[in-house]
């Protein structure tokens, strides 16, 4: 197979990139483009079309080549060759046209796009910036605000939007390659000197200066510690102040610096981690079962959110509720959520109608007799779950996959209560389920291979990031949350304030600190679950402050106060003096003399607690890879993506440092809260990382 096929259509030479699955710009593709251009330029052809095989133009540079020794020709050189070509070059933009792919299109003299094409520069999501001329050519084609938005957010736009902002010359609905060839014939004899973007003059007019004002502050706020967006903005600004060759030199220098940065390594790690996690475990074989319709038990916040993800993906869904009123209420809430999305322009009114037409409410389990997948999302009590599974078991057709959305309960026990344990698994969604991308798929001791494959396939269809987990209390994510939250609680007892802990965590990159999250979720939820269980004395001690807050009516945001006080109008938070009194009183009661605690200790205690529990989970086989744990924390718990996830963070800190600290934390009373994970100690001893451990075990 040649990476770039060369064909002739009349007077037009067609270079067709053929590098499945996404036509990434590997060395072979760059070489093929170079040879193809040289051939076309001297072949008597009057124009060239560059297109991609299989409905994708080019999804970008080959990320696997990053960090490897560079191989000539570089992408920037190939794009310069395209631009310098003596005959006009037309890009046939369809499917994913991302990163280096869009930069290739910007090197072309004309751009024809399919309306559905996904056009963007997502480099910042990998901790880098467009490094093959994108930051300099795009501002020479479209207005500064649009160029800045595309380059600093990384978000793609569709063909229609690309046309509206002047990024492409024509849009078409049908076959893009044919349209580009016809277009190339139509412009073949026209002068095109002014279409070489690098030759266009740019200057920093007053209007453009104004457009840059305040942009940095916005980017810093949105980036939450990520450096690439700000560096990318600097390069875009340079396009207006420096001549092209100097602008390109600045882009190159910044690109090289960013590729080597820890942030980019972490972001590339999580990119590949997401894709590895979505694959079937190595011991699983077979094909997924067909899923044409889905049933959900429970139409509350969770059930409704899950139902929305299916309707969003065009899959009919039936929701079972206890009464007609509850059913109507649940479906009305879904409609309201979709209407809100329509009001924000994310979907159309027609989309709302289409989705609503896919949703059916019912009070009878009989309505589920044809469903291929049934997901239970009812109250988190074993007896209730078993009762519901009994009813599902009685009506579901043979071969239907039966899933529980439990967050903590033993799915082996639920499965064993049915007549078909092989069809049972966990599908643990995160609230709000239609927004949050994580789906923990919990494999029981009995789950059939094709049932697991069905859940993985459904995750892909409904655009979720799937991670396969084994059965244990809390699976991967929630199990790790317990020691993390406990450390936060202990830090409060020992002398830190909620503000201090939260601000260390937000500086680390979390969107919210642990106490703000508690206030948002409602402190009564944790309180209730603690009261339902028999706690060990050390567990009681660590939750005393939370208990006292709830008992004094400080339930969090919903009651106007919790760890913090909330302004009724603005919801702005400030110190809650009543909480401070409670914290002081509890410390006194427990005989604790508060001490000064620094940020470093807060980060080590909370983050190393996650890593240590993650190592236990890995050793027990609850997670298949450490990188799966990173995916869970990125998509379920807002872990700062540019840190790669807790396990990658451990690798970047050094496992010896983590292990030594954990052993120290476990001394004395610490032994109640810390059980150093043997795997962590072993890897530290052998100077290994979790990533190396993953590779070793594949
Ligand atoms: N380089 C190398 N491999 C890539 C790749 C890339 N740019 N993009 C995707 N792949 C691989 C994936 O790792 C996956 O491999 P696997 O099957 O072995 O796991 C395979 O292609 C299919 O990818 P997905 O499972 O993600 O397929 P989807 O159809 O769901 O998504 C996509 C396709 C939207 C293109 C998505 O893969 C994606 O977002 N890719 C990255 C796009 C990107 O960031 N481009 C910019 C690269 S950086 C750059 O261009 C620098 C330049 O400025 C110099």
């Amino acid at each position: 197979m040649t990476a770039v096929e060369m064909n002739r259509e009349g007077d037009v030479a067609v270079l067709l990139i053929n590098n499945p699955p996404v036509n990434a710009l590997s060395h072979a593709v760059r070489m093929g483009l170079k040879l193809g251009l040289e051939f076309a330029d001297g072949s008597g052809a009057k124009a060239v079309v560059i297109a991609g095989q299989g409905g994708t133009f080019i999804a970008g540079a080959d990320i696997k080549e990053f960090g490897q020794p560079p191989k000539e020709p570089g992408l920037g050189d190939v794009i310069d060759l395209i631009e310098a070509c003596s005959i006009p070059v037309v890009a046939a933009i369809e499917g994913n046209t991302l990163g280096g792919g869009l930069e290739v299109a910007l090197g072309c003299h004309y751009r024809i796009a399919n309306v559905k094409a996904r056009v963007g520069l997502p480099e910042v999501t990998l901790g880098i910036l467009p490094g093959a001329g994108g930051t300099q050519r795009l501002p020479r084609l479209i207005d500064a605000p649009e160029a800045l938005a595309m380059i600093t957010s990384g978000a793609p736009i569709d063909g229609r939007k690309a046309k509206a902002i002047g990024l492409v010359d024509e849009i078409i609905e049908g076959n893009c390659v044919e349209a580009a060839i016809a277009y190339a014939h139509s412009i073949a004899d026209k002068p095109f000197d002014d279409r070489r973007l690098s030759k266009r003059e740019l200057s920093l007019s007053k209007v453009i200066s104004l457009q840059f004002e305040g942009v940095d502050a916005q980017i810093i706020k949105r980036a939450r510690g990520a450096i690439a967006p700000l560096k990318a903005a600097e390069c875009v600004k340079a396009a207006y102040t420096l001549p092209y060759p100097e602008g390109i030199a600045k882009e190159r220098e910044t690109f090289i610096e960013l590729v080597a940065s820890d942030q980019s390594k972490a972001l590339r790690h999580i990119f590949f981690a997401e894709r590895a996690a979505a694959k079937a475990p190595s011991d699983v074989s077979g094909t997924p079962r067909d899923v044409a319709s889905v049933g959900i038990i429970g139409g509350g916040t969770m059930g409704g959110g899950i139902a929305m993800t299916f309707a969003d993906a065009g899959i009919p869904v039936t929701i079972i509720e206890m009464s007609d009123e509850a059913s109507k209420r649940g479906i009305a809430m879904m409609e309201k959520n979709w209407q809100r999305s329509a009001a924000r322009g994310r979907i159309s009114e027609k989309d709302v109608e289409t989705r609503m037409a896919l949703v059916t409410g019912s009070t009878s389990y009989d309505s589920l007799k044809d469903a291929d997948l049934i997901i239970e999302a009812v109250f988190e009590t074993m007896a209730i779950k078993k009762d519901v599974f009994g009813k599902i078991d009685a009506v579901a057709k043979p071969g239907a996959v039966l899933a529980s959305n439990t967050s903590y309960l033993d799915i082996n026990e639920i499965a064993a209560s049915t007549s078909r344990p092989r069809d049972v698994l966990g599908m643990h969604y995160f609230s709000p389920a239609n927004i949050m991308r994580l789906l923990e798929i919990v494999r029981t001791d009995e789950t059939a291979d094709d049932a697991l494959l069905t859940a993985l396939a459904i995750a892909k269809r409904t655009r979720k990031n799937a991670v396969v987990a084994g059965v244990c209390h809390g699976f991967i994510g929630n199990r790790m949350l317990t020691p993390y939250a406990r450390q936060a609680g202990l830090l409060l007892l020992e002398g830190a304030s909620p503000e201090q802990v939260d601000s260390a965590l937000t500086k680390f990159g979390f969107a919210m600190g642990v106490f703000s999250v508690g206030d948002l979720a409602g402190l009564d939820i944790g309180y209730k679950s603690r009261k339902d269980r028999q706690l060990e004395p050390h567990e009681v001690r660590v939750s005393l402050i939370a208990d006292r807050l709830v008992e004094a009516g400080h339930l969090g945001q919903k009651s106007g106060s919790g760890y913090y006080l909330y302004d009724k109008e603005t919801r702005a938070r400030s110190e809650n003096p009543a909480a401070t009194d409670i914290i002081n009183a509890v410390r006194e009661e427990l005989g604790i003399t508060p001490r000064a605690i620094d940020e470093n200790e807060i980060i080590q205690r909370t983050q190393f607690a996650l890593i240590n529990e993650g190592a236990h989970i890995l050793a027990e086989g609850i997670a298949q890879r450490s990188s799966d744990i990173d995916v869970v924390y990125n998509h379920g718990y807002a872990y700062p993506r540019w840190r790669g996830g807790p396990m990658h963070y451990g690798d970047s800190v050094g496992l010896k440092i983590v292990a030594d600290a954990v052993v120290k934390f476990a001394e004395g009373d610490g032994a109640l809260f810390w059980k150093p994970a043997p795997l962590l100690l072993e890897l530290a001893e052998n100077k290994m990382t979790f990533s190396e451990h993953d590779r070793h075990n594949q």
Side-chain angles (χ1 to χ4, degrees):
M1 183 188 82
T2 38
V4 179
E5 290 167 19
M6 294 175 239
N7 301 310
R8 187 69 181 258
E9 294 281 342
D11 283 338
V12 174
V14 181
L15 305 184
L16 193 63
I17 299 166
N18 188 9
N19 185 24
V22 296
N23 290 337
L25 290 154
S26 63
H27 176 248
V29 172
R30 298 196 302 277
M31 202 63 204
L33 281 174
K34 180 175 185 274
L35 293 176
L37 278 169
E38 283 164 2
F39 164 79
D41 221 357
S43 71
K46 288 187 170 177
V48 182
V49 164
I50 299 182
Q53 180 76 270
T56 288
F57 182 59
I58 303 166
D62 188 335
I63 305 169
K64 293 189 192 92
E65 287 183 5
F66 290 179
Q68 311 281 337
K71 271 196 188 167
E72 300 295 328
L75 182 56
D77 299 334
V78 173
I79 295 173
D80 286 347
L81 275 178
I82 296 173
E83 199 190 65
C85 193
S86 68
I87 50 175
V89 185
V90 181
I93 295 176
E94 58 183 342
N96 288 307
T97 302
L98 303 171
L102 177 53
E103 289 174 300
V104 166
L106 291 170
C108 296
H109 308 108
Y110 298 92
R111 285 157 290 277
I112 306 298
N114 186 284
V115 285
K116 290 192 186 144
R118 285 179 83 234
V119 182
L121 292 167
E123 282 87 344
V124 290
T125 65
L126 296 169
I128 53 173
L129 48 65
T135 66
Q136 304 303 297
R137 284 198 178 91
L138 191 62
R140 285 173 161 78
L141 181 65
I142 63 175
D143 288 343
E146 264 94 18
L148 257 181
M150 284 186 78
I151 291 172
T152 61
S153 77
I157 56 175
D158 64 16
R160 266 185 235 282
K161 174 91 196 278
K163 172 80 171 90
I165 62 173
L167 205 166
V168 303
D169 299 290
E170 299 280 343
I171 44 171
I172 53 107
E173 299 213 9
N175 185 310
C176 193
V177 185
E178 279 172 16
I181 294 170
Y183 190 84
H185 276 113
S186 76
I187 50 87
D189 294 318
K190 291 193 181 150
F192 63 97
D193 260 1
D194 62 340
R195 297 214 144 238
R196 293 190 171 98
L197 293 177
S198 74
K199 304 289 177 223
R200 289 190 183 167
E201 297 279 330
L202 272 192
S203 64
L204 190 64
S205 66
K206 218 168 178 173
V207 174
I208 292 169
S209 297
L210 279 175
Q211 287 167 345
F212 282 126
E213 246 175 48
V215 158
D216 286 357
Q218 274 173 31
I219 293 173
I220 290 171
K221 190 162 175 236
R222 242 188 300 130
R224 279 201 213 113
I227 49 176
L230 208 60
K231 295 266 180 192
E234 277 170 21
C235 286
V236 175
K237 282 184 223 165
Y240 296 89
T241 53
L242 299 177
Y244 182 82
E246 286 175 40
I248 277 289
K250 183 177 168 65
E251 179 194 272
R252 181 102 299 255
E253 191 186 309
T254 319
F255 180 83
I256 290 169
E257 176 195 327
L258 288 176
V259 167
S261 68
D262 286 345
Q263 290 203 359
S264 178
K265 283 179 198 150
L267 287 159
R268 271 139 49 198
H269 160 81
I270 199 70
F271 175 86
F272 289 114
E274 285 164 358
R275 279 144 189 93
K279 294 197 166 67
S282 52
D283 62 330
V284 167
S285 59
T287 45
R289 303 176 192 173
D290 287 336
V291 175
S293 69
V294 173
I296 312 272
I297 319 289
T301 309
M302 191 43 106
I306 299 172
M308 286 179 77
T309 68
F310 285 102
D312 283 341
I315 302 170
V317 57
T318 302
I319 304 172
I320 305 295
E321 257 298 354
M322 307 240 267
S323 66
D324 281 335
E325 294 76 59
S327 172
K328 281 195 188 117
R329 208 169 38 237
I331 293 174
M333 183 54 78
M334 292 165 65
E335 187 171 22
K336 204 169 141 203
N337 286 339
W338 277 319
Q339 291 289 9
R340 206 177 300 140
S341 295
R344 290 182 182 152
R346 293 200 185 125
I347 56 172
S348 67
E349 283 294 337
K350 177 96 188 33
D351 291 333
V352 179
E353 272 173 41
T354 315
R355 284 160 168 76
M356 283 299 290
L358 290 168
V359 179
T360 311
S362 171
T363 52
S364 160
Y365 278 71
D366 284 342
S367 315
L368 300 182
K369 62 182 180 6
D370 295 325
D372 301 302
L373 166 67
I374 300 172
I375 304 173
E376 155 283 307
V378 299
F379 204 71
E380 190 75 350
T381 304
M382 183 55 91
I384 299 181
K385 300 273 190 203
K386 280 189 182 166
D387 178 55
V388 165
F389 266 83
K391 289 177 180 150
I392 299 173
D393 199 6
V395 297
K397 66 181 185 186
V401 174
L402 315 184
S404 170
N405 178 54
T406 178
S407 322
Y408 286 98
L409 297 176
D410 182 349
I411 308 182
N412 276 322
E413 192 179 330
I414 298 177
S417 76
T418 70
S419 66
R420 41 177 127 182
R422 287 175 54 73
D423 294 331
V424 177
L425 44 71
M427 286 176 77
H428 180 210
Y429 287 86
F430 289 70
S431 190
N434 54 319
I435 309 276
M436 297 290 281
R437 298 275 303 272
L438 179 64
L439 175 59
E440 274 183 326
I441 297 175
V442 188
R443 183 183 185 186
T444 72
D445 297 344
E446 300 273 339
T447 303
D449 284 5
D450 62 346
L452 186 69
L453 292 172
T454 308
L456 282 163
I458 275 295
K460 186 147 178 96
R461 259 172 92 187
T462 53
R463 304 187 57 218
K464 295 290 176 201
N465 285 101
V467 174
V468 176
V471 177
C472 67
H473 187 74
F475 318 121
I476 298 175
N478 283 343
R479 172 166 158 189
M480 285 168 66
L481 203 56
T482 307
Y484 166 77
R486 261 192 205 147
Q487 285 308 311
L490 282 170
L491 286 161
L492 220 56
L493 281 178
E494 291 168 34
S497 67
E499 223 297 305
Q500 225 188 322
V501 175
D502 282 356
S503 117
L505 292 170
T506 49
K507 265 200 216 157
F508 182 79
F510 281 99
M512 290 170 92
V514 66
F515 297 112
S516 305
V517 171
D519 275 0
L520 182 68
L523 301 180
D524 50 329
I525 297 177
Y527 181 84
K528 195 183 167 313
S529 93
R530 283 193 295 279
K531 297 297 152 192
D532 285 349
R533 281 185 297 135
Q534 191 67 36
L535 297 186
E536 301 283 334
H538 66 281
E539 293 177 304
V540 173
R541 210 158 54 117
V542 81
S543 51
L544 260 187
I545 293 173
D547 287 354
R548 297 277 160 84
L549 281 169
V550 173
E551 283 154 11
H554 304 287
L555 307 184
Q557 286 202 20
K558 61 180 155 192
S559 72
S561 65
Y563 287 103
Y564 300 97
L565 209 55
Y566 295 90
D567 185 277
K568 276 201 187 74
E569 306 277 297
T570 63
R571 285 211 191 158
R573 69 169 214 211
S574 55
E575 188 191 330
N576 180 6
T580 310
D581 288 347
I582 289 174
I583 294 168
N584 287 333
V586 171
R587 283 177 188 154
E588 216 177 298
E589 194 179 315
L590 297 177
I592 297 170
T593 312
R595 63 182 174 90
I597 293 178
D598 64 17
E599 227 169 61
N600 185 41
E601 182 176 347
I602 295 172
I603 294 305
Q604 286 210 345
R605 298 252 309 260
T606 52
Q607 301 313 303
F608 292 3
L610 283 177
I611 298 167
N612 188 50
E613 195 63 30
H616 280 299
I617 282 173
L618 201 53
E620 289 168 27
I622 298 298
Q624 297 176 81
R625 313 167 189 86
S626 71
S627 62
D628 286 6
I629 298 174
D630 288 338
V631 175
V632 167
Y633 263 75
N634 260 276
H635 292 290
Y637 301 84
Y639 197 90
R641 192 172 167 86
W642 54 267
R643 288 200 188 270
M647 309 309 271
H648 181 86
Y649 175 66
D651 281 353
S652 67
V653 170
L655 295 190
K656 177 86 174 87
I657 293 177
V658 179
D660 286 351
V662 167
V663 168
K664 198 158 183 315
F665 294 148
E667 285 169 2
D669 265 6
L672 292 168
F673 298 98
W674 292 91
K675 306 266 172 281
L679 177 63
L680 172 64
L681 304 183
E682 185 193 315
L683 292 176
E685 180 71 26
N686 295 329
K687 299 191 173 54
M688 277 178 75
T689 60
F690 286 121
S691 270
E692 283 163 349
H693 174 75
D694 283 353
R695 277 197 294 278
H696 211 256
N697 284 287
Q698 290 310 300

